Amino acid sequence: MGRLLLVDGHSLAYRAFYALPAENFSTSTGQVTNAVYGFTSMLINVLRDEEPTHLAVAFDVSKQTFRLAEYPEYKAGRSATPTEFSGQIPLIREVLGAMGVRMVTAEGFEADDVICTLTRQAREAGHDVLVVTGDRDAFQLVDDRTTVLYPVRGVSELTRMTPEAVVARYGVPPERYPDLAALVGETSDNLPGVPGVGPKTAAKWITQYDGLAGVVAHADAIKGKAGESFREHIASVERNRRLNRLLDDLPLGVEVEELRRPGWDRDAIHQVFDGLEFRVLRERLFETLDNDEPEVTGGFSVEVARPRGEEVGAWTARVPAGARVGAEVVLAADLTGPGSPARPAALDGVAVAAPDGSVAVLHVGDLLRWVASPDGPALVMHDAKPQLHALARAAWARGLGPLAADAADDDPTTTGEGHDGRDGGTGGATDDDVVGEDGTTGARAVASSIAGLPSGDTSLAAYLCRPDQRSYDLADLSVRHLGRTLVTAEPVVEGQPVEEQLSLGLDGAAEQVEDTPEDLADAARARRDLRAGIRAAAVAELDAVLLGELEEREGTALLADLELPLERLLVRLESTGIAVDVEHLEQLREHYDVRVSEAARLAYAEIDEEINLGSPKQLQRVLFEKLEMPKTKRTKTGFTTDAEALQDLYESTEHPFLLHLLEHRDAIRLRQTVEGLLASVGEDGRIRTTFQQTIAATGRLSSTDPNLQNIPIRTEEGRRIRSGFVVGSDATGPLETIMSADYSQIEMRIMAHLSGDEGLVEAFTAGEDLHRFVGSRVFQVEPADVSSEMRSKVKAMSYGLAYGLSAFGLSRQLRIPVDEARGLMDEYFMRFGGVRDYLRGVVDQARKDGWTATLLGRRRYLPDLTSDNRQRREAAERMALNAPIQGSAADLIKVAMLRVQERLDAEDLRSRMLLQVHDELVLEVAPGELDRVQEIVLEGMGGAADLAVPLEVQVGLGRSWFDAAH
DNA sequence: TCAGACACGTA
DNA sequence: CGTACGTGTCTGAA
C-alpha cells in the first residue's frame, strides 16, 4: 500500500509566480526563475514531509478543452499570461525531468482531469492519494484516503483538506463541494454564480434539499430574494456544475505502478540547478533525497588473510606508519545468541582493512603490538565502545592485568574467562598471548595503546554530522555515503546447529560444507572473519568520507578532542560500574511490594471488582462509565488517566478509589525500578550501565540497561532507592565515599551567556537566589518581597523559555488564565529583552542556515523549520530554541569529565568516575584522596568553559548517592 | 511476536 | 499548545 502524490503543475507554478517577487529571483543571464524556485521548493517540502511512494505532476497542454467547447467564455477574462511566467514552464519541466518525475498530460483536458483519473486508479490499487493544487475543484476528490493540499499565502503554506476540513470550511461534504461551487460561482474560471448567494446560503440549500439536484427540483419552494435570483440563473448553475465535474476516465496510458518514485540522476540535477543558480535549494533537495533509498552499486568483496608469525610483519609492512585502518573485532560467537543475553563473548582476533584494500584478521596480541609500535597504524572502528570492552577483557584474560583504559575490573571472574570451552567448541583456535616471544617486554606499551584506541569512530562521526538519525547502522551508512551494500553473512550464532546456519551461506547461496566437526568449525570461523573483514573495509572507506563531511560542518575538533576521548572514558565508567547495597534494595522491594498489595486491595474494595489497575482501558471503563466521573483530556484511544488528571478528578469527586489507584501506580513503579536494578547487579555487587553516545540529538548522553539517569529523587519514597547506590571497593580495598557534583542552574547560565542579557548576567553575579532576583525584576518588588508563589511562577517561566514554552502552556502548567501567563511573559521579556532577542535570533538563524549550534559548534539540523506543515514547523522551532542550550550544557559536562579524568590519571589517584547524569557527576573517592579529588572536580567542572557568568558547582559527600546529594 | 500507545522516572 | 531521554505494561494486529 503506497501513497501517491499528484501535483497540478500549472496551478502551483502560477501561485509561486505571483507569490515570489520576480526581481529577487533571476539568474546572472537575466532569466527569471521565481516560479521555478517556488514550485521546486514546495515540491521538496512535500516530498520531505509526506514521503510519498509514488509521484506525478500533471500539466495542461492546450487551451482547447471540452469545457471551452461547451462554454466559449470559460476562463475568459483572465489577463494574458505574462511571458515571464510561460517562459518558466519549460524550466520546471527540466527540473522535473532531472528529478525523474513523471509528467502526465491529456490533450483536450485539464490537469485536474488527469489528477482525478489518476486518483481513481490509485484508489482502486489501494493507495492513499495526496493532491497538491491551487484549484478548489479538486476538493470533490477528498475522502478519508484522499487529501488535497491547498496553498494559502502564496506557496509558503499548504492547508490539509480532509473531509472534516472541507465540511468545516464550506459546510458541505467534499462530494457536494462542486454543487456549492456551481451555485456560488468561480471567478477565476469566469463561471458566474447566483447573485446574492454566497457559500453560507448555498451550503444551507444543499443540505436542506440533499444536493444540487434537489435544490433545482425544489427551486420554486425557495423563498426570498435569493430564491428568486436562483430561479433566474438555474441554467448557468447547471452549466457550472457540468463544467466543474472532473473526469476520472481519461485514457492516459499510464499505470499507477509506473509512477513509483524513481532513482535520482544526481548529475542531471546538478546540471539543471547549476543553470538555474539554485544553491540552497539544491542542498535541500539532496538532503531530502539522501533520506530516501539512494541508488546502490556493488558490495564489498574482500579476501581475508589470517597471517601468523612471520606473515604478520609482512602484512603490516604494507601499512604506512600512522595510516588510518578500519578495524572490527571478531567475536568467537555472537553476543545475541539464544540463551546468552549480553554475555561477554570471547575474542577471536581483529579484522583490519589496510588503505590498499587488503584485509587481514590479526590475533589480538599481534594487533596490539603493532598498534603500540612506532610505525603502528591509527585504528578506526565503528561503534568502538563495545569492541573496546571486548579487547580489554581479552587482554586481561591473557595475563596483561588491568589496562589503563579499563583499570576497574577487579574481579577476573567477570572479565571473559570461562569462554575457553566455547573456543574449543568452535575449532579450538584460541588467540595467542598478548605477551610476545620476548616475554613481558612491551606489555605496558600494549596496555596504553588500548587506552588510546580508537583513533576514529565512524558512528561518532556520522552522529556529529547528523545527530537526529535514529541509528547509525554500518550497513545503512555504507549504502548512504558509499553507495555500496554491505553484504555480510550473519555471524554464526551459538546455540543453533552450525550445520543449519552454514547451509544458508552468503547471499543465501548454498555453500560447500563438509560434515566433519572440524570442517564445520573452520567454515564458521571463516564466515566470522569474512563478516568482520567486510565491515572493517567499509569502516575504512566510510572514515574518509565522513571526515570530509564533518570538516564541512566544522565538527572535526568536536570529534577528535571531545567525543573520541569521551568514548574512551566511557569505557572506563561502564566497566567500573557502581556498587549497590543489595540487601537494602531487597528490603526496599519488599516494602514497595506491601504498598502495592495494600493499595490494590483498597482500590478493589472501592469499586467492588478486581480490574487490572495497569490497564488504561479498564480504568477508563471504571472511571468514566461505571463511576461516571467527568471526562479528562482526550488521548488517541480515549481519555487520559495520567497522574495529573487523576489528581484533578480526586479534587472534584473525592472518590477514594483515585487515591488508592495513584498510590498503586507509585508503588508498583518504584518496585519495578528496584527489581530492575537488582536484576542487573553483577557478581561483584556492582551495576554497569551502558552510556549511549549517539542517541540524543542535542549531544547529551543517554543511559540504558539499566538507565541510571532516571533514578527517582523527587519524592521521599523514591529517594530511598538512591540510598542503595553506595561506595564500594576496588582491587586494593574499600573506597571512602561517594561524591556527587552538579552544576547549579547550568541551562539558565548558558542562556545568560548566549543571550548576553545584562539583567540575567547580573542575576548570576548578584549573590541573590536566581528566581528571587528574576522575580523581583518581573514583579517590580524588592527581592525580599518576592513571595514563594511569585518565585515559583518565575521559575517555571524561566525554564519554560528554554523549551519554547507558549503562554498557553505556561497558563496550563501554573493553572492561571492565559492572559495572566501572557502578561507574565511580556513582563519578563520587557525586563530581560536580551533573552527575547536571543531566542528570536536563534530561530531566524537556524531557519536561514538550516542548523543550530552549541558553544562548541555541535550542530543540529532542523529542515522542518521551513516545512509547510505548521505543526512540524513549530515543533522544529521549539527544538531550535532548546538545542543550543541543552546541547551546550552537554558540551560543558563532557569537557568537565575529560578534565577531571585527566587530573585523576595524571596524579595517579585511585578515585574514579562512576556516572554522569546530564548536569551531575558521581565519583567514588579513595581514602586519603578526598581533598584532592574535590579540588579536581570543582576546578574541572567549574573551569570547563569561560562564560559571561560563573559556573557554580555543588559537591556533596556520603556513603550513598542519596547521602551525597544535598 | 511485534509495534504503538500510554504512563512516568530523570535532567 | 515545553526540550531531551529509557523502560515498563497493555493492547490489537500480524
Side-chain angles (χ1 to χ4, degrees):
Chain A
M1 228 55 66
R3 189 198 327 250
L4 169 64
L5 176 68
L6 294 169
V7 178
D8 184 332
H10 261 113
S11 149
L12 280 154
Y14 206 69
R15 289 282 187 126
F17 179 73
Y18 284 106
L20 302 175
E23 57 271 25
N24 296 355
F25 295 88
S26 60
T27 65
S28 44
T29 59
Q31 169 68 50
V32 177
T33 56
N34 62 335
V36 190
Y37 187 97
F39 178 90
T40 311
S41 166
M42 181 279 315
L43 183 61
I44 292 170
N45 283 340
V46 175
L47 288 176
R48 182 192 64 205
D49 293 351
E50 309 292 344
E51 300 179 341
T53 56
H54 297 66
L55 167 65
V57 176
F59 281 98
D60 305 322
V61 269
S62 58
K63 293 259 177 226
Q64 200 46 248
T65 66
F66 77 97
R67 292 185 179 89
L68 197 64
E70 166 157 1
Y71 178 54
E73 288 83 32
Y74 185 66
K75 291 193 175 179
R78 288 192 177 184
S79 48
T81 317
T83 49
E84 288 87 8
F85 173 73
S86 41
Q88 293 187 60
I89 293 295
L91 297 179
I92 289 176
R93 300 187 71 120
E94 265 186 49
V95 168
L96 292 170
M99 289 171 66
V101 175
R102 183 71 179 253
M103 289 167 267
V104 187
T105 57
E107 191 67 39
F109 299 93
E110 293 177 66
D112 267 357
D113 299 311
V114 171
I115 286 174
C116 181
T117 301
L118 288 172
T119 298
R120 178 185 57 78
Q121 292 178 9
R123 293 301 313 275
E124 285 168 2
H127 299 297
D128 290 341
V129 179
L130 283 164
V131 177
V132 187
T133 177
D135 189 334
R136 283 188 291 263
D137 286 335
F139 292 168
Q140 63 191 275
L141 301 174
V142 170
D143 60 28
D144 57 342
R145 294 183 50 198
T146 304
T147 303
V148 171
L149 302 176
Y150 181 77
V152 288
R153 282 188 282 149
V155 284
S156 65
E157 191 162 343
L158 298 170
T159 306
R160 185 171 288 272
M161 298 304 287
T162 57
E164 297 74 32
V166 173
V167 172
R169 183 177 294 201
Y170 297 104
V172 295
E175 65 273 17
R176 294 265 167 86
Y177 176 81
D179 290 355
L180 182 135
L183 283 165
V184 176
E186 182 63 79
T187 326
S188 65
D189 291 338
N190 195 33
L191 297 177
V194 180
V197 173
K200 288 277 160 55
T201 311
K204 194 178 79 188
W205 289 354
I206 290 167
T207 308
Q208 187 174 352
Y209 299 108
D210 195 29
L212 185 61
V215 180
V216 172
H218 295 85
D220 294 333
I222 302 174
K223 300 200 178 73
K225 206 150 187 139
E228 200 175 304
S229 178
F230 171 61
R231 284 186 288 280
E232 284 169 22
H233 293 87
I234 287 189
S236 64
V237 167
E238 293 188 306
R239 181 206 58 219
N240 289 353
R241 185 64 186 87
R242 281 195 301 279
L243 292 179
N244 72 17
R245 167 167 291 117
L246 299 182
L247 304 183
D248 70 357
D249 56 355
L250 307 189
L252 297 177
V254 176
E255 297 297 322
V256 172
E257 212 30 55
E258 297 170 45
L259 305 179
R260 188 168 280 285
R261 280 174 73 181
W264 307 95
D265 183 342
R266 283 170 175 269
D267 287 344
I269 293 173
H270 276 300
Q271 229 168 17
V272 172
F273 278 51
D274 279 345
L276 293 167
E277 299 172 14
F278 289 167
R279 260 194 46 226
V280 179
L281 217 48
R282 164 162 42 200
E283 278 180 28
R284 265 172 59 200
L285 178 60
F286 280 122
E287 185 129 350
T288 306
L289 303 190
D290 285 343
N291 282 323
D292 299 316
E293 203 65 14
E295 69 262 56
V296 172
T297 57
F300 289 84
S301 86
V302 298
E303 295 272 327
V304 181
R306 267 243 179 211
R308 306 189 146 264
E310 302 282 300
E311 300 158 7
V312 173
W315 194 89
T316 57
R318 76 186 65 208
V319 180
R324 298 174 78 87
V325 303
E328 165 108 357
V329 300
V330 185
L331 299 179
D334 181 47
L335 285 169
T336 58
S340 62
R343 190 162 43 159
L347 263 193
D348 192 26
V350 180
V352 284
D356 69 358
S358 50
V359 177
V361 172
L362 301 182
H363 289 185
V364 173
D366 290 332
L367 175 90
L368 293 180
R369 272 194 297 276
W370 181 32
V371 172
S373 72
D375 33 271
L379 283 201
V380 182
M381 311 177 101
H382 183 82
D383 192 11
K385 191 149 56 61
Q387 304 188 61
L388 293 176
H389 279 302
L391 270 172
R393 277 193 301 264
W396 166 262
R398 280 155 182 75
L400 196 57
L403 301 166
D406 198 8
D409 275 332
D410 51 338
D411 181 358
T413 63
T414 65
T415 57
E417 290 289 323
H419 299 288
D420 297 351
R422 183 184 319 155
D423 279 356
T426 53
T430 51
D431 213 317
D432 57 357
D433 285 338
V434 167
V435 180
E437 303 80 28
D438 53 345
T440 58
T441 332
R444 193 163 264 285
V446 168
S448 66
S449 75
I450 291 196
L453 292 181
S455 302
D457 186 323
T458 44
S459 69
L460 290 177
Y463 167 67
L464 289 176
C465 285
R466 310 176 55 155
D468 274 281
Q469 259 172 247
R470 255 192 224 113
S471 87
Y472 300 89
D473 189 79
L474 182 60
D476 294 345
L477 294 175
S478 174
V479 168
R480 170 167 301 165
H481 296 280
L482 307 176
R484 329 236 322 241
T485 20
L486 198 63
V487 181
T488 66
E490 287 307 305
V492 172
V493 175
E494 196 194 8
Q496 282 176 27
V498 174
E499 295 86 338
E500 277 177 29
Q501 297 185 51
L502 289 182
S503 65
L504 290 171
L506 273 177
D507 293 320
E511 258 176 32
Q512 286 253 273
V513 178
E514 301 296 329
D515 47 10
T516 68
E518 292 75 19
D519 286 345
L520 284 171
D522 284 349
R525 190 186 207 203
R527 261 166 60 106
R528 293 195 299 265
D529 285 359
L530 181 56
R531 177 191 147 82
I534 288 171
R535 290 176 63 89
V539 168
E541 287 193 31
L542 202 52
D543 177 54
V545 174
L546 287 177
L547 285 185
E549 199 161 317
L550 194 55
E551 182 65 38
E552 283 175 30
R553 294 162 193 247
E554 302 175 41
T556 308
L558 206 52
L559 177 63
D561 304 335
L562 193 75
E563 300 294 354
L564 275 170
L566 182 71
E567 181 173 42
R568 301 191 279 257
L569 173 52
L570 291 177
V571 172
R572 299 172 66 176
L573 262 66
E574 290 179 357
S575 72
T576 302
I578 182 166
V580 289
D581 180 342
V582 173
E583 205 169 308
H584 172 85
L585 290 182
E586 276 168 351
Q587 283 170 10
L588 212 45
R589 171 173 55 184
E590 184 56 33
H591 167 75
Y592 293 140
D593 199 50
V594 171
R595 280 184 58 190
V596 169
S597 330
E598 187 63 6
R601 191 179 63 75
L602 292 168
Y604 296 150
E606 290 295 335
I607 56 171
D608 295 319
E609 59 174 324
E610 300 202 357
I611 62 165
N612 181 345
L613 296 173
S615 162
K617 202 182 164 200
Q618 295 183 39
L619 281 176
Q620 287 177 39
R621 182 182 60 74
V622 168
L623 295 176
F624 306 121
E625 290 171 29
K626 182 169 178 173
L627 301 177
E628 295 182 323
M629 291 185 177
K631 298 287 201 300
T632 55
K633 210 175 64 181
R634 278 213 77 98
T635 65
K636 278 182 187 167
T637 54
F639 301 94
T640 184
T641 65
D642 65 22
E644 191 192 344
L646 294 180
Q647 196 64 49
D648 286 349
L649 278 182
Y650 180 70
E651 273 153 34
S652 59
T653 67
E654 299 197 337
H655 199 295
F657 172 72
L658 295 165
L659 287 188
H660 302 312
L661 176 57
L662 283 165
E663 158 76 3
H664 183 264
R665 279 249 179 95
D666 190 40
I668 209 164
R669 166 152 217 95
L670 291 168
R671 184 183 66 181
Q672 181 53 50
T673 302
V674 172
E675 277 176 353
L677 290 173
L678 281 168
S680 45
V681 177
E683 287 176 35
D684 58 351
R686 299 182 78 91
I687 292 181
R688 290 176 178 78
T689 183
T690 301
F691 287 105
Q692 302 289 348
Q693 207 179 347
T694 59
I695 296 293
T698 52
R700 276 189 177 179
L701 298 179
S702 77
S703 158
T704 63
D705 219 7
N707 181 356
L708 295 185
Q709 289 180 326
N710 72 341
I711 303 302
I713 192 170
R714 289 178 188 172
T715 65
E716 185 72 32
E717 276 287 289
R719 270 199 294 272
R720 297 173 67 179
I721 298 178
R722 291 200 170 210
S723 300
F725 292 86
V726 295
V727 62
S729 315
D730 66 5
T732 319
L735 281 86
E736 187 173 297
T737 183
I738 293 285
M739 174 183 290
S740 161
D742 66 54
Y743 283 119
S744 67
Q745 294 139 343
I746 179 87
E747 296 198 343
M748 289 310 297
R749 286 171 198 267
I750 286 166
M751 175 98 96
H753 174 82
L754 291 177
S755 70
D757 182 277
E758 286 177 19
L760 201 53
V761 169
E762 191 189 337
F764 285 111
T765 42
E768 178 69 77
D769 169 82
L770 170 71
H771 303 302
R772 185 167 293 278
F773 181 96
V774 174
S776 79
R777 292 285 175 98
V778 169
F779 293 106
Q780 300 178 61
V781 298
E782 288 302 311
D785 297 333
V786 174
S787 68
S788 64
E789 195 181 346
M790 290 154 89
R791 185 179 181 280
S792 64
K793 281 180 181 173
V794 159
K795 185 177 173 183
M797 180 165 54
S798 291
Y799 281 105
L801 289 176
Y803 300 148
L805 186 64
S806 63
F808 179 89
L810 184 64
S811 75
R812 209 170 56 86
Q813 191 195 331
L814 294 174
R815 296 169 181 257
I816 58 176
V818 178
D819 284 347
E820 188 187 336
R822 189 171 295 116
L824 216 52
M825 289 178 80
D826 288 346
E827 198 62 33
Y828 181 97
F829 283 139
M830 198 94 85
R831 308 292 154 194
F832 301 94
V835 175
R836 179 199 52 217
D837 297 344
Y838 163 71
L839 293 174
R840 197 173 291 161
V842 164
V843 176
D844 287 346
Q845 183 270 345
R847 194 180 299 111
K848 184 166 71 67
D849 295 338
W851 41 266
T852 61
T854 63
L855 281 176
L856 297 192
R858 179 194 305 278
R859 291 187 187 176
R860 179 172 187 186
Y861 287 80
L862 295 165
D864 273 356
L865 286 171
T866 57
S867 173
D868 300 315
N869 180 320
R870 190 163 67 96
Q871 273 202 12
R872 294 177 68 129
R873 188 175 62 247
E874 291 180 346
E877 285 170 1
R878 291 192 296 271
M879 293 176 203
L881 287 175
N882 178 249
I885 298 173
Q886 189 184 118
S888 295
D891 289 351
L892 289 193
I893 196 157
K894 284 178 171 179
V895 169
M897 291 169 77
L898 294 175
R899 286 163 59 96
V900 168
Q901 189 61 52
E902 200 271 324
R903 290 315 308 161
L904 294 176
D905 285 343
E907 300 181 24
D908 216 16
L909 297 170
R910 265 175 73 203
S911 304
R912 47 201 189 170
M913 212 181 294
L914 307 181
L915 299 176
Q916 185 252 51
V917 192
H918 309 310
D919 66 353
E920 174 189 13
L921 295 182
V922 180
L923 296 94
E924 199 171 40
V925 182
E929 297 183 356
L930 184 50
D931 291 347
R932 189 59 200 126
V933 171
Q934 181 154 337
E935 282 169 21
I936 287 172
V937 167
L938 285 173
E939 204 285 319
M941 291 177 75
D946 188 19
L947 305 187
V949 295
L951 282 174
E952 193 178 300
V953 179
Q954 297 182 3
V955 172
L957 303 166
R959 73 166 284 276
S960 76
W961 194 5
F962 170 81
D963 300 308
H966 5 273

